[in-house]
Amino acid sequence: MKLKLLPLALIAVTLFSCSSDDDTDAANPEDQEEQNTSCDKVENFVFTEKDGLVSVEFEDAVFTDSWKFKKDDNNASGKGYMVWEGDQYLGKPGEGLATYSIKINNPGTYRFLWKSSVKTGNSGSDHNDTWLRFADADDFYGEKEGSIVYPKDTGKTPNPEGASKDGWFKIYRSGNDLDFKWQANTSDNDSHPVFVTFNKAGTYTMEISARSSGHAIDKFILFNDTYTQSDATADDVQLSEITCKN
């Protein structure tokens, strides 16, 4: 009996080994395909909204030389943060431009916030702002208790107090707590939270450009009304999935 069972055992072992080899060979092409489609160039990043939230590390874009990457603040998340150290462009948006591609799956209105800090001086009202534009969104506005303002030169009124031009909002933070915090308002001395409306699912472009030197930005989010601000800005919120431009 032992002599008869031995060949059967050898056959079983051989079949099992062949099956294992086949599974391994089949998995390799899939792993390689996933690796080939991973996005390894920042300029091709597309940040994907999921369940009404976009969460992005600000440094994940292509920047001009005067945007400096820093890692010297423990209150910054991710790899670090970016700070503008070039000239000030208080009335001239479009300098020091960086862009982000954002894929919206759930159309609607989203609130915009970023986490920023003042790195120059000791005043919370200076070196505290950067330009922002959503030129291809269906609407881009500030709203406070029913009062709505639109960027200048868009054909929409009323416009914010203070600087605005060519569809750009000046987005500022206030208060003398200069460290990183979540705040993004427009309209001087009459702060309006900022909102963006996307009527259709699709990929949209967010643009930022330099305004005040010493303004540092760590992260930004867009969130719809299924989130509270505290939930959307919580430390354990996952970053948006990054895919590649076609």
Side-chain angles (χ1 to χ4, degrees):
M1 290 293 293
K2 291 182 179 178
L3 291 175
K4 291 181 180 179
L5 288 173
L6 183 58
L8 292 174
L10 289 173
I11 291 170
V13 170
T14 302
L15 289 173
F16 178 79
S17 299
C18 291
S19 175
S20 298
D21 289 344
D22 288 344
D23 289 344
T24 302
D25 291 340
N28 285 339
E30 293 177 6
D31 292 342
Q32 187 64 40
E33 183 178 352
E34 289 179 4
Q35 186 175 357
N36 289 341
T37 58
S38 64
C39 202
D40 57 358
K41 293 184 178 180
V42 176
E43 59 266 30
N44 292 330
F45 282 5
V46 178
F47 303 95
T48 303
E49 171 264 319
K50 181 180 179 182
D51 298 331
L53 178 67
V54 179
S55 179
V56 178
E57 292 289 350
F58 188 77
E59 63 267 22
D60 285 340
V62 177
F63 294 91
T64 60
D65 289 344
S66 291
W67 280 104
K68 302 299 183 182
F69 175 66
K70 300 290 183 73
K71 298 188 289 184
D72 58 2
D73 194 320
N74 291 332
N75 289 318
S77 62
K79 299 181 290 291
Y81 65 92
M82 303 299 298
V83 59
W84 178 252
E85 294 187 350
D87 294 337
Q88 300 207 117
Y89 295 102
L90 304 184
K92 187 182 178 184
E95 303 294 329
L97 182 69
T99 63
Y100 301 81
S101 294
I102 298 173
K103 183 180 180 182
I104 297 295
N105 294 312
N106 294 283
T109 296
Y110 288 72
R111 184 173 174 187
F112 175 87
L113 279 175
W114 59 28
K115 183 181 174 186
S116 73
S117 173
V118 174
K119 293 296 184 181
T120 297
N122 55 14
S123 170
S125 58
D126 297 315
H127 306 283
N128 65 333
D129 49 49
T130 295
W131 296 105
L132 176 70
R133 182 167 70 173
F134 284 87
D136 57 358
D138 293 281
D139 213 354
F140 178 41
Y141 60 94
E143 182 174 8
K144 175 186 178 182
E145 299 174 352
S147 168
I148 297 178
V149 294
Y150 299 96
K152 293 179 180 178
D153 306 316
T154 60
K156 296 181 178 181
T157 57
N159 302 130
E161 296 295 328
S164 178
K165 185 178 181 180
D166 296 335
W168 293 87
F169 268 144
K170 163 190 167 181
I171 305 297
Y172 66 87
R173 47 156 291 152
S174 58
N176 288 323
D177 48 340
L178 306 184
D179 208 348
F180 283 106
K181 68 177 179 180
W182 289 100
Q183 193 179 65
N185 293 315
T186 195
S187 195
D188 289 357
N189 303 310
D190 186 24
S191 59
H192 283 55
V194 177
F195 296 87
V196 191
T197 298
F198 310 101
N199 286 341
K200 297 179 181 179
T203 301
Y204 297 85
T205 300
M206 172 181 139
E207 300 171 284
I208 67 94
S209 68
R211 188 172 190 274
S212 293
S213 61
H215 187 223
I217 306 175
D218 174 40
K219 194 174 183 179
F220 70 84
I221 58 172
L222 290 155
F223 60 100
N224 67 16
D225 60 7
T226 63
Y227 286 85
T228 64
Q229 178 174 329
S230 60
D231 287 339
T233 58
D235 290 340
D236 60 353
V237 168
Q238 290 188 345
L239 294 172
S240 293
E241 178 187 1
I242 298 173
T243 59
C244 274
K245 293 179 182 177
N246 294 329

